[in-house]
Amino acid sequence: LESVELTRAVAWAYSVRVSSPTGVRVDEVKLLARLLESKDEWTVTSSLQGIASRAESDPAGILKTLLNINIGRSRRIADEFFSVLQNSKAFPIESFDREQVKELLSKLAGCSTIEDYWVANFLAKVSKPFPAEVLHFLIDRIEAANEGEIHEFQPIPYLFHEDSKFR
């Protein structure tokens, strides 16, 4: 779709459509997966809500789709992404293995900040079963900040949310 407004409208409409309890066609889920690749963050966040509603019916497939999203490009997308992961019964923190956690952290590496609630909450939760991975992630962010690789980059949170306790 060429028009940002039209793409946003389609993303919103399909996010509502696939959230309905009626059957969803495979092509509708594929369209949402395509919308998740959009350069427009509003389109991506709307599509995330829709795809998340399908997680319990196909956790492995939806996780594969979610892992294709470039979450590091936008703090808003990253926060919505981790909100979806943590609010879905299909993705308990305990279900992630070391490689999946590393992949998620690597996708988050370029995000300008990791201070937003759902991102910080995810980091705190995975720091318990995977402390070394989270520590390396934070060290890599500090080193990237020292090298000045990313403009307006905040390597670690200045503010920790009350329920975001790191190990």
PDB file of all heavy atoms in Angstrom, residues 140-152:
ATOM      1  N   ASP A 140      27.093  -4.041  26.266  1.00  0.00           N
ATOM      2  CA  ASP A 140      27.198  -3.706  24.837  1.00  0.00           C
ATOM      3  C   ASP A 140      26.547  -2.352  24.541  1.00  0.00           C
ATOM      4  O   ASP A 140      27.069  -1.570  23.736  1.00  0.00           O
ATOM      5  CB  ASP A 140      26.557  -4.791  23.972  1.00  0.00           C
ATOM      6  CG  ASP A 140      27.349  -6.089  23.950  1.00  0.00           C
ATOM      7  OD1 ASP A 140      28.531  -6.091  24.394  1.00  0.00           O
ATOM      8  OD2 ASP A 140      26.780  -7.111  23.513  1.00  0.00           O
ATOM      9  N   ARG A 141      25.436  -2.060  25.202  1.00  0.00           N
ATOM     10  CA  ARG A 141      24.770  -0.767  24.997  1.00  0.00           C
ATOM     11  C   ARG A 141      25.632   0.378  25.531  1.00  0.00           C
ATOM     12  O   ARG A 141      25.716   1.432  24.905  1.00  0.00           O
ATOM     13  CB  ARG A 141      23.383  -0.760  25.663  1.00  0.00           C
ATOM     14  CG  ARG A 141      22.356  -1.562  24.877  1.00  0.00           C
ATOM     15  CD  ARG A 141      20.983  -1.476  25.485  1.00  0.00           C
ATOM     16  NE  ARG A 141      20.442  -0.147  25.545  1.00  0.00           N
ATOM     17  CZ  ARG A 141      19.758   0.462  24.564  1.00  0.00           C
ATOM     18  NH1 ARG A 141      19.556  -0.158  23.422  1.00  0.00           N
ATOM     19  NH2 ARG A 141      19.288   1.681  24.732  1.00  0.00           N
ATOM     20  N   ILE A 142      26.263   0.174  26.671  1.00  0.00           N
ATOM     21  CA  ILE A 142      27.138   1.215  27.234  1.00  0.00           C
ATOM     22  C   ILE A 142      28.323   1.456  26.293  1.00  0.00           C
ATOM     23  O   ILE A 142      28.689   2.603  26.024  1.00  0.00           O
ATOM     24  CB  ILE A 142      27.597   0.829  28.655  1.00  0.00           C
ATOM     25  CG1 ILE A 142      26.396   0.863  29.608  1.00  0.00           C
ATOM     26  CG2 ILE A 142      28.713   1.754  29.141  1.00  0.00           C
ATOM     27  CD1 ILE A 142      26.637   0.218  30.955  1.00  0.00           C
ATOM     28  N   GLU A 143      28.901   0.384  25.773  1.00  0.00           N
ATOM     29  CA  GLU A 143      30.017   0.521  24.830  1.00  0.00           C
ATOM     30  C   GLU A 143      29.579   1.221  23.545  1.00  0.00           C
ATOM     31  O   GLU A 143      30.309   2.055  23.011  1.00  0.00           O
ATOM     32  CB  GLU A 143      30.629  -0.841  24.531  1.00  0.00           C
ATOM     33  CG  GLU A 143      31.398  -1.401  25.715  1.00  0.00           C
ATOM     34  CD  GLU A 143      31.873  -2.834  25.504  1.00  0.00           C
ATOM     35  OE1 GLU A 143      31.479  -3.483  24.492  1.00  0.00           O
ATOM     36  OE2 GLU A 143      32.638  -3.304  26.366  1.00  0.00           O
ATOM     37  N   ALA A 144      28.387   0.904  23.063  1.00  0.00           N
ATOM     38  CA  ALA A 144      27.868   1.559  21.856  1.00  0.00           C
ATOM     39  C   ALA A 144      27.666   3.053  22.107  1.00  0.00           C
ATOM     40  O   ALA A 144      27.942   3.879  21.234  1.00  0.00           O
ATOM     41  CB  ALA A 144      26.558   0.914  21.417  1.00  0.00           C
ATOM     42  N   ALA A 145      27.217   3.406  23.309  1.00  0.00           N
ATOM     43  CA  ALA A 145      27.022   4.820  23.645  1.00  0.00           C
ATOM     44  C   ALA A 145      28.353   5.549  23.671  1.00  0.00           C
ATOM     45  O   ALA A 145      28.453   6.702  23.223  1.00  0.00           O
ATOM     46  CB  ALA A 145      26.318   4.956  24.993  1.00  0.00           C
ATOM     47  N   ASN A 146      29.384   4.889  24.174  1.00  0.00           N
ATOM     48  CA  ASN A 146      30.716   5.505  24.217  1.00  0.00           C
ATOM     49  C   ASN A 146      31.286   5.715  22.827  1.00  0.00           C
ATOM     50  O   ASN A 146      32.076   6.626  22.615  1.00  0.00           O
ATOM     51  CB  ASN A 146      31.678   4.650  25.058  1.00  0.00           C
ATOM     52  CG  ASN A 146      31.382   4.766  26.529  1.00  0.00           C
ATOM     53  OD1 ASN A 146      30.812   5.746  26.987  1.00  0.00           O
ATOM     54  ND2 ASN A 146      31.756   3.744  27.281  1.00  0.00           N
ATOM     55  N   GLU A 147      30.888   4.864  21.885  1.00  0.00           N
ATOM     56  CA  GLU A 147      31.360   4.994  20.511  1.00  0.00           C
ATOM     57  C   GLU A 147      30.506   5.967  19.717  1.00  0.00           C
ATOM     58  O   GLU A 147      30.842   6.302  18.589  1.00  0.00           O
ATOM     59  CB  GLU A 147      31.380   3.619  19.844  1.00  0.00           C
ATOM     60  CG  GLU A 147      32.391   2.676  20.483  1.00  0.00           C
ATOM     61  CD  GLU A 147      32.223   1.231  20.029  1.00  0.00           C
ATOM     62  OE1 GLU A 147      31.422   0.975  19.114  1.00  0.00           O
ATOM     63  OE2 GLU A 147      32.909   0.368  20.601  1.00  0.00           O
ATOM     64  N   GLY A 148      29.380   6.403  20.300  1.00  0.00           N
ATOM     65  CA  GLY A 148      28.510   7.370  19.638  1.00  0.00           C
ATOM     66  C   GLY A 148      27.861   6.863  18.377  1.00  0.00           C
ATOM     67  O   GLY A 148      27.597   7.619  17.460  1.00  0.00           O
ATOM     68  N   GLU A 149      27.579   5.566  18.319  1.00  0.00           N
ATOM     69  CA  GLU A 149      27.030   4.957  17.108  1.00  0.00           C
ATOM     70  C   GLU A 149      25.585   5.370  16.818  1.00  0.00           C
ATOM     71  O   GLU A 149      25.177   5.417  15.672  1.00  0.00           O
ATOM     72  CB  GLU A 149      27.093   3.430  17.216  1.00  0.00           C
ATOM     73  CG  GLU A 149      28.498   2.895  17.212  1.00  0.00           C
ATOM     74  CD  GLU A 149      28.542   1.387  17.384  1.00  0.00           C
ATOM     75  OE1 GLU A 149      27.474   0.741  17.400  1.00  0.00           O
ATOM     76  OE2 GLU A 149      29.646   0.855  17.500  1.00  0.00           O
ATOM     77  N   ILE A 150      24.811   5.643  17.846  1.00  0.00           N
ATOM     78  CA  ILE A 150      23.390   5.933  17.664  1.00  0.00           C
ATOM     79  C   ILE A 150      23.088   7.295  18.269  1.00  0.00           C
ATOM     80  O   ILE A 150      23.410   7.567  19.425  1.00  0.00           O
ATOM     81  CB  ILE A 150      22.512   4.845  18.321  1.00  0.00           C
ATOM     82  CG1 ILE A 150      22.860   3.473  17.733  1.00  0.00           C
ATOM     83  CG2 ILE A 150      21.037   5.145  18.119  1.00  0.00           C
ATOM     84  CD1 ILE A 150      22.221   2.319  18.454  1.00  0.00           C
ATOM     85  N   HIS A 151      22.445   8.151  17.485  1.00  0.00           N
ATOM     86  CA  HIS A 151      22.090   9.493  17.927  1.00  0.00           C
ATOM     87  C   HIS A 151      21.011   9.431  19.015  1.00  0.00           C
ATOM     88  O   HIS A 151      20.094   8.631  18.928  1.00  0.00           O
ATOM     89  CB  HIS A 151      21.596  10.305  16.724  1.00  0.00           C
ATOM     90  CG  HIS A 151      21.255  11.713  17.042  1.00  0.00           C
ATOM     91  ND1 HIS A 151      22.202  12.624  17.447  1.00  0.00           N
ATOM     92  CD2 HIS A 151      20.087  12.367  17.036  1.00  0.00           C
ATOM     93  CE1 HIS A 151      21.620  13.787  17.667  1.00  0.00           C
ATOM     94  NE2 HIS A 151      20.332  13.646  17.423  1.00  0.00           N
ATOM     95  N   GLU A 152      21.135  10.273  20.023  1.00  0.00           N
ATOM     96  CA  GLU A 152      20.179  10.339  21.145  1.00  0.00           C
ATOM     97  C   GLU A 152      19.961   8.966  21.781  1.00  0.00           C
ATOM     98  O   GLU A 152      18.836   8.528  21.998  1.00  0.00           O
ATOM     99  CB  GLU A 152      18.860  10.954  20.695  1.00  0.00           C
ATOM    100  CG  GLU A 152      19.004  12.398  20.246  1.00  0.00           C
ATOM    101  CD  GLU A 152      17.679  13.030  19.878  1.00  0.00           C
ATOM    102  OE1 GLU A 152      16.623  12.517  20.300  1.00  0.00           O
ATOM    103  OE2 GLU A 152      17.709  14.054  19.187  1.00  0.00           O
TER     104      GLU A 152
END
